[in-house]
Amino acid sequence: MKILEVLIIAYLLGSIPFGYLAGLLGGVDVRQHGSGNIGATNVLRLLGKGYGYPVFLADALKGFFAVRVAFWIGNGQSGEMDKLGIIAAVFAVVGHSFPVWLRFRGGKGVATSAGACFGLTPVEAIIAAAAWIVTFFLFRFVSLASITAAAVLPASILLIPSVNGRARGLILFFTAALAALVIVRHRSNLRRLLQGTEPRFERK
């Protein structure tokens, strides 16, 4: 019963389309412009920082709160909390990527994944965030930075013992699966990177 409860709450939280709603406030249907994605990057390109940054934060908080609610439902039982937290993280990202409100056409799940990981494994999430920042400032590609951070996260889980005594195998499997999902959702960006046509954020 707890698993079903967590699954539904996490999916519904994740499926709140903050990018689409921000676009409506700005007078733009973000699905019809730019990359057509409802994520923070497309909102940032179309409407600027005043919309893009709050959307990123809101999308991240969806994942974070989904995990923390799952921990609360787990009621202090460490093994169960981790399992419920992983389920919450997965379905928050699924909700963001495939929201029922938008005919299952959502974002790529990077911000929501980041928020979920900060709720689940904060130390490793900080390392992945640092990898995102370094990659972005070196190359100015959001997609490349996101793919790099996604790959660094499971590697950090594998190498850093901060999750010892917890459901380490499950957390490693989850972060590896999450990295695979993020990379698959960025397959069009990967093609453009290889072709040299991926848009770059230029320094101003």
Side-chain angles (χ1 to χ4, degrees):
M1 198 65 189
K2 286 182 180 180
I3 291 175
L4 182 61
E5 185 180 354
V6 166
L7 186 156
I8 292 171
I9 291 171
Y11 176 82
L12 291 177
L13 267 176
S15 68
I16 301 171
F18 286 113
Y20 173 71
L21 296 174
L24 292 183
L25 287 174
V28 175
D29 185 344
V30 296
R31 300 171 301 173
Q32 306 299 325
H33 300 275
S35 67
N37 193 278
I38 67 165
T41 301
N42 196 37
V43 174
L44 179 62
R45 283 199 177 101
L46 294 172
L47 296 171
K49 297 177 182 179
Y51 288 88
Y53 288 174
V55 167
F56 182 89
L57 178 61
D59 283 346
L61 287 174
K62 293 190 300 188
F64 180 82
F65 282 121
V67 170
R68 303 315 291 189
V69 167
F71 283 175
W72 177 73
I73 292 173
N75 198 27
Q77 299 176 30
S78 179
E80 186 174 12
M81 285 172 65
D82 282 330
K83 291 174 185 176
L84 292 176
I86 290 168
I87 291 169
V90 168
F91 279 91
V93 175
V94 169
H96 178 80
S97 299
F98 308 102
V100 65
W101 324 111
L102 300 179
R103 298 182 180 180
F104 305 102
R105 289 181 55 203
K108 293 176 180 175
V110 174
T112 305
S113 298
C117 291
F118 269 101
L120 193 64
T121 55
V123 173
E124 291 78 7
I126 289 171
I127 294 170
W132 191 99
I133 291 168
V134 170
T135 305
F136 176 74
F137 280 99
L138 284 175
F139 301 102
R140 311 300 291 185
F141 291 115
V142 173
S143 55
L144 181 60
S146 299
I147 291 167
T148 301
V152 164
L153 183 61
S156 300
I157 298 290
L158 189 62
L159 297 173
I160 297 174
S162 65
V163 294
N164 279 346
R166 301 174 60 192
R168 184 183 179 89
L170 278 176
I171 293 172
L172 178 60
F173 177 79
F174 158 69
T175 53
L178 193 61
L181 176 62
V182 169
I183 292 168
V184 167
R185 294 287 288 172
H186 281 83
R187 59 190 180 278
S188 60
N189 302 87
L190 283 169
R191 283 196 297 269
R192 289 194 294 270
L193 283 166
L194 292 172
Q195 294 165 359
T197 58
E198 176 75 350
R200 186 194 301 261
F201 269 90
E202 299 296 339
R203 293 179 176 86
K204 295 184 179 179

